[in-house]
Amino acid sequence: MSIQEIKLKDLNAKEFIEEKAKEISSLVGSGAAINALSGGVDSSAVTMLGHKALGNRLKTYFINNGIMREGEPEKIVAMFEKLGVHVEVIDAQEQFFKALKGITDPEEKREAITQAFYKDVFGKLVRQSNAKYLLQGTILTDVDETVAGIKRQHNVFEQLGIDPQTTFGYKIIEPLVQLRKDGVRKVAEAAGLPKSIFNRMPFPGPALAARVIGEVTPEKIKIVRMATVIVEEELATSGAFQYMAILHNDRVTGMRDGKREFGLQMEIRCWDSIDARQAHPTKLSYETLIKLANRMTFEVPGVVSVTYNIASKPPSTMEAI
Amino acid sequence: MSIQEIKLKDLNAKEFIEEKAKEISSLVGSGAAINALSGGVDSSAVTMLGHKALGNRLKTYFINNGIMREGEPEKIVAMFEKLGVHVEVIDAQEQFFKALKGITDPEEKREAITQAFYKDVFGKLVRQSNAKYLLQGTILTDVDETVAGIKRQHNVFEQLGIDPQTTFGYKIIEPLVQLRKDGVRKVAEAAGLPKSIFNRMPFPGPALAARVIGEVTPEKIKIVRMATVIVEEELATSGAFQYMAILHNDRVTGMRDGKREFGLQMEIRCWDSIDARQAHPTKLSYETLIKLANRMTFEVPGVVSVTYNIASKPPSTMEAI
C-alpha cells in the first residue's frame, strides 16, 4: 500500500476537507467512530474532519494523563466547545503516574506512557464503545520510518489490546496520512481552528514527562509545569522554533536566607530551526535570560540554579530525553 | 588568643616577609619544618616564607591527589624549582580515588578528601619525618568562622592523627593568619612568585571533585579536566572573577552519526563578582558561548550537551556542589 503524498503547493485545503469528510462518512456509514484528542495540531485537525463528517457519531476523548501543561485539558475542551465539538475528558492521572513510578530510563518512560495510553486507558474506551472506527492523526512523516500501512495499523490494534484475528470489524481511518506538518497546519486553519492550534509549537508525545530527567512524579511534574508557564510567557514573542524548561535530577548547592540548600536545577532550551533536523540555540538577550533565571529561582519552589542550553543539534537533540 | 589583623593599606609586604622569616627561624631553631603546597596563593606564599627562613630544612610536599587540573603538579613543581625551591611530589592518586569511591553526597565527598589528605597521606608524611614544625597557609578568613587559635590547631593535630596529649613537641606555624586574601596576594608578589600564582583565580579545595556531580571516578575527572582546559583557554581574557566546567551526572539524549547517544552534559559557569559574596553570570558573547559548546561537544568524549549558567548568587552558589 503506497501513500500518495500531497505537497503543500498542491494542497487545496477546502477541497481536501470536503473530500476527506466524504470519505470518512462513506466508510463509517451509519456506524460510530472514536478518537483521542491531544490538543496538538494533528489530532485537532482530525477531530474537525471527523466531526464534519459524523457530527455526534464521532466520540472524542481528551485523556488527562497528568503530565500536560498548565490548564491544558480545560483550554482545549473549551476551545472545541466554542467550535461546537463536544470533547469528553477522561481523568487518567493516577494510571499514568502509576505506570511511570520508579522508571528513570527515557525509553522505558516513553514505553510506559504509550502502554498506559493504548492498553489501559484509550484501549479500554475503544473496547467498551460501540465504535468500530478509529480516527487517527497519523501524518506522512510518522509513516516514513515504519513499514507500509497494514503492518503499522496491525501494531496499533496490538497496542490497543485488540486482536484483529479474533475481533473483527475494527478499522483505522487516517485522513491526514498524505500530508506533512505544513499541510496539516493549512488544513487545520481552513477547518476553522484558531491560530493557537494550527500554529502550535511542537510538543512531545510524552508531554512534560519528557521534560523531567529521572523518575517522573506528580511533584516533579508540578515543578516543571510551573517552569513551563514562565518559559512560554517570556519567550512567546521570541520567534523561536521551540522552547522548553527541563527539570534536572542532579541536585546542586544553593543558598537561601544564609543557609545552604541542596536544590533543583532548571535548564532552559530555546531553538532556532527550520525543520527540526538541525537546530541552534536562539541568541536570547541577557536581559531575557536573567529575567527567566530570576523568575525560575523566585517563583518555582526549590529551584536554586538555572542554565541555558548553548549546544546545537547535532550532536544535541531538541528534547533532553 | 586574639589575632591582630593587618589590613592591605597597612601592609608593607617586604617588611612583612623579613619579619615572618625571622619569626619562623627563631621558632624552628635548628630543627626542621614541613609543609604541603597545593599551588594556591596561600600555600605558595607560605612555601616562599618558610624557604627564606629555613632553606632546605623546610621539606615541601606537593600531594598529587589525582583530582587536579591538567599538568598541575608538573607546572607548580617546575615553577618552584626555578625559584630555587625543591618540592617533592607524592603520588597519592589511588588513595584519593579509593576514598571517593561510591560517595555521591557533596559534604561526604569533601570530608573524604580532607580525611584522605590529613590522615592517610600528609599525616603519615608528618609522622614519618623528623619535622616537628608544620607550616600552614591559614588566613584570617579561614579563622573567622571557627573558634580561637588553640582549639583550631588542636583540630588540625587530630586530623593529622597526632594526639598532642601523648605526642609532644609538634607545633603549627601560620605566618599568614593576620592577612586577608588581598594581603596574601601582595606578599606572594613581593616574595617573587609569578603573576600566574599571586593573581590566581580561586579554586576549590576539593579541586575537580567539586566539579563532578555524583560519584567521582578517574574517568569522570579525566573528562572534566579536559573541559576545564577548554574553559580556561577560552575565558582567560574574559576578565571574569571565576569560571569553571561542571560535569553533570544526569544523562541527556544526543545524536551522533545518525545514532541516538545517551550522553553527558557539561555546564559552564562564568562569574562576575567583587568578593564572591554576590555574583552574576558574565555576559559572554554568543560567539564565545557557541565556540565553547562546539569545543566541548567535539573535543571531550561523550559530551552531547552544554549549558551556560544564568542564575545569580544568591540563591545559586559559585560552585555547583
Side-chain angles (χ1 to χ4, degrees):
Chain A
M1 191 169 91
S2 97
I3 299 162
Q4 186 69 48
E5 178 174 357
I6 303 172
K7 291 205 151 79
L8 185 66
K9 61 174 172 56
D10 303 322
L11 174 67
N12 181 321
K14 287 278 173 210
E15 277 177 21
F16 179 89
I17 292 169
E18 293 300 328
E19 200 178 292
K20 289 297 161 186
K22 260 186 221 155
E23 269 181 44
I24 296 167
S25 203
S26 80
L27 278 164
V28 177
S30 60
I34 188 171
N35 81 317
L37 169 68
S38 72
V41 63
D42 304 341
S43 70
S44 294
V46 161
T47 301
M48 293 306 282
L49 292 178
H51 187 258
K52 187 177 172 67
L54 308 171
N56 289 337
R57 283 183 297 126
L58 173 69
K59 183 87 184 162
T60 299
Y61 289 102
F62 185 99
I63 313 291
N64 182 3
N65 54 16
I67 52 181
M68 305 252 162
R69 281 172 286 184
E70 183 65 37
E72 186 77 0
E74 297 78 5
K75 276 183 217 162
I76 298 298
V77 168
M79 195 269 293
F80 273 92
E81 293 288 347
K82 255 170 100 174
L83 295 169
V85 180
H86 176 69
V87 177
E88 192 169 334
V89 177
I90 303 294
D91 185 349
Q93 300 186 63
E94 269 185 45
Q95 276 133 303
F96 280 85
F97 282 120
K98 210 179 136 192
L100 285 163
K101 203 172 156 66
I103 299 177
T104 58
D105 180 84
E107 294 303 321
E108 288 176 28
K109 229 188 255 185
R110 235 179 280 270
E111 186 57 23
I113 292 166
T114 305
Q115 287 294 325
F117 178 81
Y118 281 105
K119 278 243 167 68
D120 303 342
V121 182
F122 190 57
K124 203 170 159 191
L125 292 170
V126 173
R127 295 189 303 272
Q128 286 174 347
S129 80
N130 59 349
K132 294 274 179 179
Y133 294 89
L134 196 67
L135 261 65
Q136 276 213 153
T138 323
I139 70 172
L140 194 50
T141 318
D142 302 327
V143 180
D144 277 349
E145 284 148 37
T146 63
V147 268
I150 296 162
K151 174 78 189 305
R152 190 166 42 79
Q153 296 201 352
H154 179 88
N155 287 345
V156 174
F157 284 123
E158 261 186 15
Q159 286 181 311
L160 289 166
I162 293 165
D163 180 356
Q165 302 293 326
T166 60
T167 321
F168 295 102
Y170 281 104
K171 279 199 176 64
I172 292 174
I173 304 173
E174 297 173 315
L176 306 178
V177 80
Q178 294 167 278
L179 305 177
R180 303 270 176 194
K181 199 61 128 189
D182 49 6
V184 178
R185 292 194 192 280
K186 198 173 167 186
V187 167
E189 183 175 9
L193 287 160
K195 194 176 178 186
S196 60
I197 296 289
F198 71 74
N199 214 9
R200 212 165 197 205
M201 189 166 69
F203 192 70
L208 295 177
R211 307 278 169 81
V212 171
I213 299 181
E215 188 188 2
V216 175
T217 63
E219 295 71 33
K220 287 184 181 177
I221 290 292
K222 200 177 155 191
I223 288 166
V224 82
R225 182 180 285 136
M226 291 175 78
T228 303
V229 170
I230 294 171
V231 164
E232 295 193 348
E233 278 175 14
E234 296 299 331
L235 302 181
T237 59
S238 66
F241 182 84
Q242 201 181 5
Y243 34 83
M244 63 191 79
I246 298 152
L247 176 60
H248 282 229
N249 191 41
D250 284 340
R251 293 257 166 175
V252 293
T253 306
M255 189 85 90
R256 264 207 233 263
D257 309 320
K259 276 178 64 182
R260 248 180 144 66
E261 179 181 333
F262 207 35
L264 304 173
Q265 183 173 81
M266 196 69 73
E267 177 185 349
I268 296 164
R269 294 186 177 194
C270 182
W271 295 106
D272 285 346
S273 180
I274 303 293
D275 56 8
R277 284 185 301 183
Q278 288 200 326
H280 300 283
T282 306
K283 291 173 180 168
L284 297 175
S285 71
Y286 274 95
E287 197 190 343
T288 301
L289 292 174
I290 302 296
K291 189 169 179 203
L292 278 166
N294 285 343
R295 289 197 62 186
M296 292 288 170
T297 50
F298 289 103
E299 295 175 27
V300 187
V303 174
V304 297
S305 175
V306 187
T307 62
Y308 184 59
N309 167 65
I310 55 171
S312 291
K313 171 183 179 178
S316 185
T317 49
M318 314 279 280
E319 301 284 341
I321 52 171
Chain B
M1 191 167 93
S2 98
I3 299 162
Q4 186 68 47
E5 177 174 358
I6 303 171
K7 291 206 150 81
L8 186 66
K9 63 175 171 55
D10 303 323
L11 174 68
N12 181 321
K14 287 279 174 211
E15 278 176 20
F16 179 90
I17 292 169
E18 292 301 328
E19 200 179 292
K20 288 298 161 186
K22 260 185 219 155
E23 268 181 45
I24 296 168
S25 202
S26 80
L27 277 165
V28 178
S30 60
I34 189 171
N35 81 315
L37 170 67
S38 72
V41 63
D42 303 341
S43 69
S44 294
V46 161
T47 300
M48 292 307 282
L49 292 179
H51 187 259
K52 187 177 172 70
L54 306 171
N56 288 338
R57 284 183 296 127
L58 174 69
K59 184 86 183 162
T60 299
Y61 289 103
F62 185 99
I63 314 292
N64 183 3
N65 54 17
I67 52 180
M68 306 252 163
R69 280 172 286 184
E70 183 65 35
E72 186 77 0
E74 299 78 6
K75 275 183 218 163
I76 298 297
V77 168
M79 196 269 294
F80 273 92
E81 293 288 347
K82 254 169 100 175
L83 294 169
V85 180
H86 176 68
V87 176
E88 193 170 333
V89 176
I90 303 294
D91 185 347
Q93 299 185 65
E94 269 186 46
Q95 277 133 301
F96 279 86
F97 282 120
K98 210 179 134 191
L100 284 163
K101 203 172 156 68
I103 298 177
T104 57
D105 180 83
E107 294 303 321
E108 287 175 28
K109 228 187 254 184
R110 234 178 280 270
E111 185 59 21
I113 292 166
T114 305
Q115 287 292 325
F117 178 81
Y118 281 105
K119 277 243 168 68
D120 303 342
V121 184
F122 191 57
K124 203 170 159 190
L125 292 170
V126 173
R127 295 190 303 270
Q128 285 173 348
S129 79
N130 60 349
K132 293 276 179 178
Y133 294 88
L134 196 66
L135 261 64
Q136 276 214 152
T138 323
I139 70 170
L140 194 50
T141 319
D142 302 327
V143 180
D144 277 350
E145 284 149 38
T146 63
V147 268
I150 296 162
K151 174 76 188 307
R152 189 166 41 81
Q153 297 201 351
H154 179 89
N155 287 344
V156 174
F157 285 121
E158 261 186 16
Q159 285 182 312
L160 288 167
I162 293 166
D163 180 354
Q165 302 293 324
T166 61
T167 320
F168 296 101
Y170 281 104
K171 279 198 177 62
I172 292 173
I173 304 173
E174 296 173 315
L176 306 178
V177 79
Q178 294 167 278
L179 305 177
R180 303 271 175 192
K181 200 61 128 190
D182 50 6
V184 178
R185 293 194 191 279
K186 199 172 167 186
V187 167
E189 182 175 10
L193 287 161
K195 194 175 177 187
S196 60
I197 296 289
F198 72 73
N199 215 8
R200 211 161 198 208
M201 189 167 68
F203 192 69
L208 295 176
R211 307 279 169 80
V212 170
I213 300 182
E215 188 187 2
V216 176
T217 64
E219 295 70 34
K220 286 185 182 177
I221 289 292
K222 201 176 155 192
I223 288 165
V224 82
R225 181 180 285 135
M226 292 175 78
T228 303
V229 170
I230 295 171
V231 164
E232 293 192 350
E233 278 176 14
E234 297 298 331
L235 301 182
T237 59
S238 67
F241 181 85
Q242 200 181 6
Y243 34 83
M244 62 190 79
I246 298 152
L247 176 60
H248 282 228
N249 192 41
D250 284 339
R251 295 257 165 175
V252 293
T253 305
M255 189 85 91
R256 267 210 229 261
D257 309 320
K259 276 178 64 181
R260 248 179 145 64
E261 179 182 331
F262 207 36
L264 303 173
Q265 184 174 80
M266 197 67 75
E267 177 185 348
I268 296 164
R269 294 185 177 195
C270 182
W271 295 106
D272 284 345
S273 180
I274 302 294
D275 56 9
R277 284 186 300 184
Q278 289 201 326
H280 300 283
T282 305
K283 291 172 181 170
L284 297 176
S285 71
Y286 273 96
E287 197 190 342
T288 301
L289 292 175
I290 301 297
K291 189 168 180 206
L292 278 166
N294 285 342
R295 290 196 62 187
M296 293 288 169
T297 50
F298 289 103
E299 297 176 26
V300 187
V303 173
V304 297
S305 175
V306 186
T307 62
Y308 184 58
N309 166 64
I310 55 170
S312 292
K313 172 184 178 179
S316 185
T317 49
M318 314 279 279
E319 301 283 341
I321 53 170

